[in-house]
Amino acid sequence: MTTEVSTSTEVSMQAIEAQLAELKTRIDVLDKKSTEDKVSMIVFSGDLDKILASFVIATGSVAMGMEAVMFFTFWGTPVLRDKKKQVGGKDTIGKMFGKMLPTGTGDVKLSKMNMGGMGTAMMKALMKKKNVASLEQMLAMAEELDVKIYVCEMSMDLMGFKREEMIDYKGLTFCGVAKFLEEAKNSRIQLFI
Amino acid sequence: MTTEVSTSTEVSMQAIEAQLAELKTRIDVLDKKSTEDKVSMIVFSGDLDKILASFVIATGSVAMGMEAVMFFTFWGTPVLRDKKKQVGGKDTIGKMFGKMLPTGTGDVKLSKMNMGGMGTAMMKALMKKKNVASLEQMLAMAEELDVKIYVCEMSMDLMGFKREEMIDYKGLTFCGVAKFLEEAKNSRIQLFI
Amino acid sequence: MTTEVSTSTEVSMQAIEAQLAELKTRIDVLDKKSTEDKVSMIVFSGDLDKILASFVIATGSVAMGMEAVMFFTFWGTPVLRDKKKQVGGKDTIGKMFGKMLPTGTGDVKLSKMNMGGMGTAMMKALMKKKNVASLEQMLAMAEELDVKIYVCEMSMDLMGFKREEMIDYKGLTFCGVAKFLEEAKNSRIQLFI
């Protein structure tokens, strides 16, 4: 009788091994689908209020133990220009864009109630009074917190911006939308701002 | 011979237990990463059209068996002010913001084609004619459906709004971005509107 | 003694079967919560720049092996009208909206620096020079790549648009927000544009 039991045990054993393998395969699939504690943002807008919001979210995410990735594209791109850097050798359209678009964080306007700059100035004064970090401080904080900044190459090219005129920022990377989508795909949170 | 089998069975048994434990650990990790049937929205915009969209998404999500969370920030904040509530004791800038920003849902304008209010009035008339719920009805519906509303404390502070001037809404909570990110992290869908 | 071993083996076997069943149940739950390699976008804006961004993301996602779904609503809806299709039988408001809103991709303006159409024309010239696909080319590419396009029925109704005046696009579907949320719920990435 013991032999019988042993045989049936062996059979069950094989069945169990098979089940284990199946569960393992299913977990492997789920593993590939699972995301990381990461927030990925497309910073499309170049408005002071929306840029501020994106940095509040980025730094807040890191404070909560998440990674943060910001992909600056279109109107968001000129916000990362460095006022102190002058670059020559641009064609006519490049020069035009260069003048019309804001040069860095100090030049950015509110999306509403700008009122010829008065609303923006008022908001900045208010932020100072209320101890809300300025865009410049936010950027420095983000750099310290290892917030990753990607800059859209297509936007750079369209607007005639050169890499040499962008801010110094640890780990700033110039890339295409594919690189961003890769990050976003593995992120818990994705936002288009 | 049966003893031999038994011994090898015991060995396999231990191997299986080890595998089971490993799978369990991996499932625990995946569990922590998994999200809930929840939609989390940052309502940043204060435009009639975008606010409407956010409520259509919120109520539609609940109708589909999901939870919905709305985090009102920046221009979205004044939309939740109650026209009937007057609050004193504001400083000059607080009073200015109070007057310039919309007071509640009835005061909100289209992001485009507002045309001095004509476009907005036309859209409202059209919505009525087409049996699309108004913003006021949407808000009531959201409350009934237990849509959670968070109001950004930093925006309240910046714009000089007081809690006493906000609408009565079941479970309305004043909080910071961290609270929202916590919800968003566990949500299937996140949107910045 | 062998019998004893066998009995204890049987007991362990039952314990293992129970554990396997429990893990399977937990994996089933995770399976239901897991998402597909899909990007779902709400295309709310009708601006040239944002529409372009949404198509760059859609086609880029497919290129990376993901599915892409675009839900055109509100100001995004008129972008899908076909200039060559004329439709009669509209009421006064329908006719007004018909004239005021853009008719198709060729009629769409930049969200900023439009400058009476000059900025938009300049951007289009620039895109051509830099070999960035135009909106018309993007749309054709999206169709070829099986990007799914949904059109919001409520927006169609509000703006008085008729199905007969929309573009020919393989698999274009008219639907409500619920259909979109269903897709978004199972998507890795969701964006409100």
Side-chain angles (χ1 to χ4, degrees):
Chain A
M1 208 193 139
T2 47
T3 319
E4 264 170 55
V5 169
S6 297
T7 309
S8 81
T9 302
E10 264 173 58
V11 172
S12 315
M13 220 60 137
Q14 278 171 6
I16 284 171
E17 298 276 8
Q19 280 187 68
L20 276 170
E22 195 209 318
L23 292 189
K24 203 175 159 302
T25 307
R26 289 183 62 194
I27 292 176
D28 286 343
V29 170
L30 285 170
D31 249 347
K32 260 187 212 152
K33 284 186 176 180
S34 78
T35 51
E36 291 160 39
D37 274 359
K38 186 155 60 182
V39 179
S40 289
M41 284 174 273
I42 299 179
V43 186
F44 178 95
S45 154
D47 303 314
L48 172 60
D49 38 5
K50 291 197 178 172
I51 298 276
L52 264 176
S54 65
F55 275 106
V56 169
I57 294 168
T59 52
S61 300
V62 177
M64 284 176 62
M66 294 197 275
E67 263 185 89
V69 177
M70 303 172 89
F71 180 72
F72 282 78
T73 185
F74 232 88
W75 311 110
T77 322
V79 180
L80 296 181
R81 291 201 292 168
D82 191 331
K83 205 165 191 129
K84 298 184 300 293
K85 296 184 185 172
Q86 297 293 330
V87 172
K90 290 195 179 187
D91 59 16
T92 316
I93 291 185
K95 278 179 197 156
M96 270 181 68
F97 264 113
K99 276 198 185 152
M100 290 167 66
L101 292 169
T103 312
T105 48
D107 223 14
V108 172
K109 305 272 181 296
L110 280 180
S111 69
K112 288 178 195 203
M113 297 200 347
N114 180 44
M115 303 177 295
M118 213 184 75
T120 298
M122 201 173 91
M123 179 58 74
K124 285 184 180 179
L126 204 54
M127 284 168 58
K128 204 166 182 174
K129 196 184 150 201
K130 301 281 187 181
N131 287 317
V132 175
S134 70
L135 209 47
E136 290 73 21
Q137 292 170 318
M138 289 275 189
L139 196 61
M141 218 190 298
E143 188 175 22
E144 210 163 303
L145 293 171
D146 289 324
V147 171
K148 248 192 253 177
I149 290 189
Y150 291 145
V151 186
C152 172
E153 274 180 327
M154 192 180 99
S155 301
M156 293 282 291
D157 192 34
L158 260 183
M159 295 177 174
F161 294 159
K162 301 191 169 183
R163 293 185 179 204
E164 301 88 74
E165 62 185 304
M166 306 309 277
I167 55 161
D168 297 313
Y169 184 97
K170 193 177 58 190
L172 183 141
T173 310
F174 298 92
C175 62
V177 75
K179 176 82 184 154
F180 170 75
L181 285 171
E182 221 174 88
E183 292 271 15
K185 206 181 141 181
N186 295 316
S187 299
R188 293 288 282 273
I189 301 179
Q190 304 97 7
L191 301 169
F192 183 97
I193 296 178
Chain B
M1 206 190 135
T2 47
T3 318
E4 266 170 53
V5 168
S6 298
T7 310
S8 81
T9 303
E10 264 172 58
V11 172
S12 315
M13 219 62 136
Q14 278 171 9
I16 284 170
E17 297 277 7
Q19 281 187 66
L20 276 170
E22 196 208 317
L23 292 190
K24 202 174 159 305
T25 306
R26 289 183 63 194
I27 292 175
D28 286 344
V29 170
L30 286 170
D31 249 348
K32 259 186 212 155
K33 284 186 177 180
S34 78
T35 51
E36 291 160 40
D37 274 357
K38 186 154 61 182
V39 179
S40 289
M41 284 173 273
I42 298 179
V43 186
F44 178 94
S45 153
D47 304 313
L48 174 60
D49 38 6
K50 292 197 177 171
I51 299 276
L52 265 175
S54 64
F55 275 106
V56 168
I57 293 168
T59 53
S61 300
V62 177
M64 284 177 62
M66 294 198 274
E67 263 185 89
V69 176
M70 304 171 91
F71 181 71
F72 282 77
T73 185
F74 233 89
W75 310 111
T77 322
V79 180
L80 296 181
R81 292 202 290 168
D82 191 330
K83 206 165 190 129
K84 298 184 301 292
K85 296 184 185 172
Q86 298 292 331
V87 171
K90 290 196 180 188
D91 58 16
T92 316
I93 291 185
K95 277 180 198 156
M96 269 182 69
F97 265 113
K99 275 198 186 154
M100 289 167 67
L101 292 169
T103 312
T105 49
D107 224 13
V108 172
K109 306 273 181 292
L110 280 179
S111 69
K112 287 177 197 206
M113 296 201 346
N114 180 44
M115 302 177 295
M118 213 183 76
T120 298
M122 202 174 91
M123 180 56 75
K124 284 184 181 179
L126 204 54
M127 284 169 58
K128 202 167 184 176
K129 196 184 149 199
K130 300 282 185 180
N131 287 317
V132 175
S134 70
L135 209 47
E136 291 73 22
Q137 291 170 318
M138 289 275 190
L139 197 61
M141 218 189 298
E143 188 175 22
E144 210 164 301
L145 293 171
D146 290 324
V147 171
K148 248 192 252 178
I149 290 189
Y150 290 143
V151 186
C152 173
E153 274 181 329
M154 192 180 99
S155 301
M156 293 282 291
D157 192 33
L158 260 183
M159 295 176 174
F161 294 160
K162 300 193 171 183
R163 292 186 178 202
E164 302 86 75
E165 62 185 306
M166 306 310 277
I167 55 161
D168 297 313
Y169 184 97
K170 195 176 55 189
L172 183 143
T173 309
F174 298 92
C175 63
V177 76
K179 177 81 185 154
F180 170 75
L181 286 172
E182 221 174 87
E183 293 270 15
K185 206 181 141 181
N186 295 316
S187 299
R188 293 288 282 273
I189 301 177
Q190 305 96 7
L191 303 168
F192 184 97
I193 295 179
Chain C
M1 210 192 137
T2 46
T3 317
E4 265 169 55
V5 168
S6 298
T7 309
S8 82
T9 302
E10 263 172 59
V11 172
S12 313
M13 219 62 136
Q14 278 171 9
I16 284 171
E17 298 277 7
Q19 281 188 67
L20 276 171
E22 196 208 317
L23 293 189
K24 203 175 159 303
T25 307
R26 289 183 64 192
I27 293 175
D28 287 343
V29 170
L30 286 170
D31 249 348
K32 259 185 212 155
K33 284 186 176 178
S34 78
T35 51
E36 292 160 38
D37 272 359
K38 186 155 59 181
V39 179
S40 289
M41 284 174 273
I42 299 180
V43 186
F44 178 93
S45 153
D47 303 315
L48 172 61
D49 38 6
K50 291 198 177 171
I51 299 277
L52 265 174
S54 65
F55 275 107
V56 169
I57 294 168
T59 53
S61 301
V62 177
M64 285 177 62
M66 294 197 274
E67 264 185 88
V69 176
M70 303 171 89
F71 180 72
F72 281 77
T73 185
F74 232 88
W75 311 110
T77 322
V79 180
L80 296 181
R81 292 202 291 168
D82 191 331
K83 205 165 191 129
K84 296 184 302 292
K85 295 184 185 173
Q86 297 293 329
V87 172
K90 290 196 179 186
D91 58 16
T92 316
I93 292 184
K95 277 179 196 154
M96 271 182 67
F97 265 113
K99 276 198 185 153
M100 290 168 66
L101 291 168
T103 313
T105 49
D107 224 14
V108 171
K109 307 272 181 294
L110 281 180
S111 68
K112 288 177 194 204
M113 296 199 348
N114 180 43
M115 302 177 295
M118 213 184 75
T120 299
M122 202 174 90
M123 180 57 75
K124 284 184 180 179
L126 203 55
M127 284 167 58
K128 203 166 181 175
K129 195 185 151 200
K130 302 281 186 181
N131 287 317
V132 175
S134 70
L135 210 47
E136 290 73 22
Q137 292 169 318
M138 289 274 190
L139 196 60
M141 218 189 298
E143 188 175 21
E144 210 163 303
L145 293 171
D146 290 323
V147 171
K148 248 193 253 179
I149 289 189
Y150 290 144
V151 186
C152 172
E153 274 181 328
M154 194 180 98
S155 301
M156 293 282 291
D157 192 34
L158 260 183
M159 295 177 173
F161 294 159
K162 300 192 170 183
R163 293 186 178 202
E164 301 87 74
E165 62 184 306
M166 305 311 275
I167 55 162
D168 296 313
Y169 184 97
K170 195 176 56 190
L172 184 143
T173 310
F174 298 92
C175 63
V177 75
K179 177 81 185 154
F180 170 76
L181 286 171
E182 219 173 89
E183 293 270 16
K185 205 181 142 183
N186 294 318
S187 299
R188 293 288 281 274
I189 301 178
Q190 305 96 7
L191 302 169
F192 183 97
I193 296 178

